[in-house]
Amino acid sequence: MKQKEYSIDVGGRKLTAIFSDLADQAHGSVMFKYGETVVLATAVMSHEQSHGLGFFNLTVDYVEKFYAAGKILGNRFTHREGKPSDEAVLSSRVIDRTIRPLFDHRIKNAVQVIVSVLAVDENDPSILAVNAASLALAISDIPWAGPVSAVRIHKNDGKFILNPSREERLNEKYEIDLIVCGKNGTISMIEAAAFESKEEDIEAGLVEALREIGKIEEFQKMIINEIGKEKREIIFEELAEDAKKLFEKEITPKLESHVFSGAGKHMIHELHNEWREIFKNNFPEIENTSPMNDYYDDAVNQILHKEALTNNRRADGRAMDELRELNATAGNISKVLHGSGTFYRGGTHVLSVLTLGGPDNANIIESIEFDVKKRFMHHYNFPPFSSGETGRATMVNRREIGHGALAEKALRAVLPAPEVFPYTIRIVSEAMASNGSSSMASICAGTLALMDGGVPIKEPVAGIAMGLMHESHSEYILMTDIQGPEDEHGDMDFKVAGTKNGITAIQLDIKVDGVPIPILAEAMKKAERARQQILDVITSALPSPRADISPYAPHILTVKIPVTKIGLLIGPGGKTINKIKDDTSAEITIEDDGSVYITGQGENAKNAKKIIEDIIRESMDRDLANFRQDKFRDNNDRRY
């Protein structure tokens, strides 16, 4: 195997890019090695074009191989890798959201990037994957405006840690966890979790990240200059001049009234359909309608940017920092539910429902990196009717997994410790109607569901999406609470969630090359002001968590037993503990430290607790009696 290597020091460890003929049919490929973690990234672009799709056909897959960790996962009947884990999907989305803005979206060729995890040690393969995907694209013949680089920053005990190890990532006492991607001194993607951190602390983390990103970027550029291929030339089909004149005559006079017609995109889509019909009637011989659709989208994009930047004008007529109408309700669905909340922000309506379970209901996750138990889950659903469409309602897509994970991070920061509230907590957020930022509405509705269910959260959490119309780094305007056209045609979707005390989660997507930190810092300040307004609405619906959990939820009682008595309680082959479960219908979880959690409805948990206490007390009494008898014998032996 022919091989060439390039190396650089990143965070005190060697980062190596390895080029070989291993995947030489791909248009670009590279192996990245960091410690003993190795990923292979490949990039391929089809030679034929696909017209009429209406979107840029980019597919990104982050593929976990069990052998990478020396594991054989799965059940006893299936050990082949199946559908990707949620963690793999989230890693795919991070790569996708980082590289997608750097393509010319007029490209009609299909592009596929696959990153395969070949080996894993304590270093994070998902961060390595972003850098590898960038370099695979950059050295290929695929037109792309990279490179882009990524790092992970942890803040722990007031100190920033670059690319934390697995042990450091699993430490739940961190203050900030930042995944940052960027190029040319600007930010292109952010995923962040925090524990009520101040905006200034997040900004400091971004500065620290960009410093390291710059080093990796220069490393990539050096390699590209040495071995990069000449980019493939793509001829973009332009709309014919007579079609442009027809657009100016029939559509342009109506464009402003339809784009600035209020909330949503209905009128914009209506005019688009009218343009399609006019074009079809006048140019029936033209089969490729992509230039026609692109021309309309560009026209909408231009007028939204022009009016925002020159006239401070938004599609629905709001001021740039004005929120849509808010409404919050706790409960009111059914007493059977353990907790529920509904939250409206303009045309976005979300219902979140809480379910409480015992410790045995925790989600056991087996991955190539670690095995963990999740006691908190947030799942997000986006049924087709929420946007007035038809489609399959039973499949969970990547977007739903990503939105659910973002809200989960935002809410996790305020949950009570297991010692205080030993329940497994699941929230399901249903986007019942959507006109932008349903993930942030899920955080707000999720907060209401938690409080309605009596979960003693530290503080209510709210989220807001900030937008951007960008001409240059000095000519731009920020928009609070983006909706419809601003989400589709704007240059930034900057989601910020938090409490009155600070930020708990961030997600950044952009459609330009990059956004400077000062613009993001300004956006965070505006998001903070909006967040306080939303929190006022949430707390007016329900000021604090209810004093008690629902009577329909299971109740958990706790018993602490000596560690030496765990075996006694379990019994030979689990005989004793299983009999208690069968007799009382309670769930019983025994921890290594002697904590026993008893979960049941009605009197079940109390009955099980009494049986356990009786078993332990009788055993302790026998131990004490035996100890006294042994002591008596010892005294007699010494006497005689």
Side-chain angles (χ1 to χ4, degrees):
M1 182 172 70
K2 299 176 182 177
Q3 190 164 296
K4 188 170 186 178
E5 297 184 3
Y6 302 83
S7 296
I8 185 178
D9 181 87
V10 177
R13 284 156 283 175
K14 186 166 73 170
L15 173 65
T16 303
I18 305 169
F19 298 90
S20 71
D21 56 359
L22 183 63
D24 62 359
Q25 297 299 307
H27 301 156
S29 69
V30 62
M31 280 195 293
F32 260 49
K33 185 174 184 179
Y34 195 50
E36 290 301 322
T37 293
V38 180
V39 301
L40 168 68
T42 60
V44 174
M45 183 168 76
S46 67
H47 291 284
E48 65 283 351
Q49 296 185 349
S50 300
H51 299 295
L53 285 178
F55 58 89
F56 171 52
N57 188 6
L58 171 66
T59 304
V60 178
D61 291 296
Y62 175 89
V63 183
E64 296 173 322
K65 302 293 185 179
F66 298 160
Y67 60 69
K71 295 181 178 180
I72 300 177
L73 296 182
N75 59 46
R76 59 184 296 191
F77 302 107
T78 304
H79 293 301
R80 175 180 284 275
E81 289 84 354
K83 72 172 187 176
S85 65
D86 285 2
E87 289 69 30
V89 168
L90 296 173
S91 296
S92 297
R93 280 173 51 84
V94 166
I95 300 168
D96 187 308
R97 290 159 42 214
T98 301
I99 65 177
R100 186 178 289 271
L102 302 178
F103 285 97
D104 189 322
H105 283 222
R106 293 175 298 169
I107 294 174
K108 303 306 175 185
N109 307 66
V111 177
Q112 185 174 38
V113 174
I114 300 176
V115 182
S116 302
V117 183
L118 303 182
V120 172
D121 66 357
E122 71 274 7
N123 292 292
D124 187 354
S126 63
I127 300 302
L128 207 56
V130 181
N131 295 301
S134 168
L135 195 50
L137 282 167
I139 64 161
S140 74
D141 65 345
I142 302 170
W144 186 64
V148 65
S149 303
V151 296
R152 189 172 200 147
I153 298 285
H154 252 219
K155 188 179 183 185
N156 202 346
D157 293 330
K159 297 179 181 179
F160 287 116
I161 302 170
L162 175 65
N163 290 342
S165 66
R166 180 187 305 162
E167 184 179 349
E168 289 167 332
R169 281 180 281 136
L170 285 173
N171 179 7
E172 295 183 354
K173 295 182 179 180
Y174 67 82
E175 299 163 42
I176 300 173
D177 177 28
L178 272 173
I179 297 175
V180 186
C181 306
K183 60 169 293 200
N184 297 333
T186 61
I187 305 292
S188 55
M189 200 288 308
I190 299 173
E191 277 285 338
F195 287 85
E196 299 183 282
S197 293
K198 296 299 183 184
E199 285 72 13
E200 294 78 11
D201 294 330
I202 300 292
E203 184 180 353
L206 296 178
V207 171
E208 185 74 17
L210 270 190
R211 186 179 299 116
E212 298 299 328
I213 282 171
K215 297 176 186 177
I216 302 172
E217 184 178 2
E218 290 305 313
F219 173 64
Q220 291 194 57
K221 287 179 178 178
M222 178 269 293
I223 296 171
I224 296 162
N225 290 335
E226 186 171 325
I227 66 171
K229 300 175 184 176
E230 184 178 348
K231 295 299 182 182
R232 194 186 308 181
E233 184 179 0
I234 297 179
I235 306 299
F236 298 112
E237 188 173 345
E238 296 287 341
L239 192 66
E241 287 301 319
D242 48 355
K244 291 180 181 178
K245 290 177 182 178
L246 184 63
F247 185 91
E248 296 301 320
K249 177 185 175 183
E250 300 288 345
I251 301 301
T252 299
K254 304 176 183 179
L255 194 62
E256 183 175 341
S257 62
H258 280 70
V259 171
F260 296 92
S261 60
K265 298 178 284 187
H266 173 72
M267 296 298 290
I268 296 175
H269 290 164
E270 184 179 279
L271 187 61
H272 195 177
N273 289 333
E274 183 179 335
W275 166 233
R276 287 193 186 102
E277 195 64 27
I278 292 171
F279 185 87
K280 180 181 177 181
N281 293 336
N282 284 270
F283 305 98
E285 73 283 359
I286 298 179
E287 295 183 3
N288 179 18
T289 58
S290 293
M292 175 268 293
N293 291 320
D294 291 344
Y295 196 81
Y296 180 83
D297 287 339
D298 287 344
V300 173
N301 186 66
Q302 288 171 15
I303 195 170
L304 280 168
H305 276 72
K306 175 178 174 293
E307 288 298 313
L309 290 166
T310 59
N311 297 320
N312 279 357
R313 188 181 181 194
R314 299 178 72 167
D316 60 359
R318 283 180 293 142
M320 289 296 167
D321 60 353
E322 183 181 351
L323 294 168
R324 289 173 287 171
E325 184 178 356
L326 305 175
N327 182 271
T329 308
N332 88 341
I333 299 295
S334 169
K335 292 181 179 179
V336 172
L337 301 179
H338 298 174
S340 64
T342 53
F343 184 81
Y344 287 22
R345 184 190 282 117
T348 296
H349 307 159
V350 173
L351 164 68
S352 291
V353 179
L354 167 75
T355 306
L356 298 175
D360 283 348
N361 292 127
N363 187 20
I364 299 173
I365 297 176
E366 293 182 315
S367 73
I368 62 171
E369 283 202 86
F370 33 68
D371 299 339
V372 295
K373 284 186 177 181
K374 282 181 66 175
R375 62 179 288 262
F376 173 58
M377 295 154 277
H378 177 276
H379 296 143
Y380 166 96
N381 296 316
F382 191 89
F385 64 76
S386 66
S387 54
E389 299 173 349
T390 60
R392 296 187 66 176
T394 56
M395 298 293 289
V396 179
N397 59 38
R398 291 185 173 193
R399 178 179 174 275
E400 288 173 307
I401 291 173
H403 280 15
L406 175 61
E408 185 174 293
K409 282 192 290 189
L411 295 169
R412 186 175 59 210
V414 299
L415 294 178
E419 302 79 36
V420 176
F421 195 78
Y423 287 85
T424 295
I425 304 167
R426 182 181 184 232
I427 296 174
V428 178
S429 291
E430 309 280 2
M432 297 299 193
S434 178
N435 183 27
S437 194
S438 56
S439 63
M440 296 294 96
S442 297
I443 293 168
C444 302
T447 291
L448 287 161
L450 286 167
M451 293 199 297
D452 182 52
V455 180
I457 60 174
K458 299 172 186 175
E459 292 286 348
V461 185
I464 191 71
M466 303 296 298
L468 172 72
M469 293 294 180
H470 180 272
E471 184 66 28
S472 67
H473 294 340
S474 59
E475 188 178 357
Y476 65 90
I477 194 162
L478 291 165
M479 297 174 292
T480 299
D481 185 20
I482 57 174
Q483 58 89 32
E486 298 162 345
D487 192 5
E488 183 174 344
H489 296 279
D491 297 318
M492 179 179 81
D493 184 2
F494 187 37
K495 300 181 177 77
V496 185
T499 69
K500 67 180 182 182
N501 301 318
I503 291 172
T504 59
I506 289 177
Q507 188 177 89
L508 170 68
D509 295 325
I510 62 170
K511 296 175 186 171
V512 291
D513 268 14
V515 178
I517 290 178
I519 292 180
L520 295 178
E522 183 183 348
M524 281 192 285
K525 286 296 184 185
K526 290 179 180 290
E528 181 187 15
R529 289 195 287 272
R531 190 167 73 243
Q532 300 300 336
Q533 295 178 50
I534 300 167
L535 287 169
D536 288 342
V537 173
I538 289 174
T539 53
S540 67
L542 187 59
S544 61
R546 300 197 191 280
D548 298 306
I549 65 171
S550 165
Y552 290 92
H555 285 247
I556 298 179
L557 302 178
T558 305
V559 177
K560 188 79 171 182
I561 67 173
V563 174
T564 56
K565 298 299 179 183
I566 292 176
L568 171 72
L569 182 57
I570 294 173
K575 182 178 179 180
T576 305
I577 197 72
N578 287 332
K579 187 176 188 307
I580 300 172
K581 291 179 180 180
D582 292 340
D583 291 346
T584 64
S585 299
E587 293 179 8
I588 301 170
T589 305
I590 306 172
E591 301 291 345
D592 292 340
D593 66 351
S595 297
V596 181
Y597 299 105
I598 308 154
T599 308
Q601 299 279 1
E603 297 295 313
N604 294 347
K606 289 182 180 179
N607 294 336
K609 181 182 180 183
K610 184 178 185 308
I611 295 172
I612 291 170
E613 288 175 335
D614 288 345
I615 290 172
I616 300 302
R617 184 176 60 253
E618 289 171 7
S619 176
M620 297 287 283
D621 289 344
R622 285 195 300 270
D623 290 346
L624 181 59
N626 291 336
F627 172 78
R628 288 172 175 169
Q629 191 171 9
D630 291 342
K631 193 74 172 173
F632 177 76
R633 288 196 186 107
D634 287 344
N635 290 336
N636 283 341
D637 289 343
R638 281 195 291 271
R639 187 177 304 132
Y640 297 103

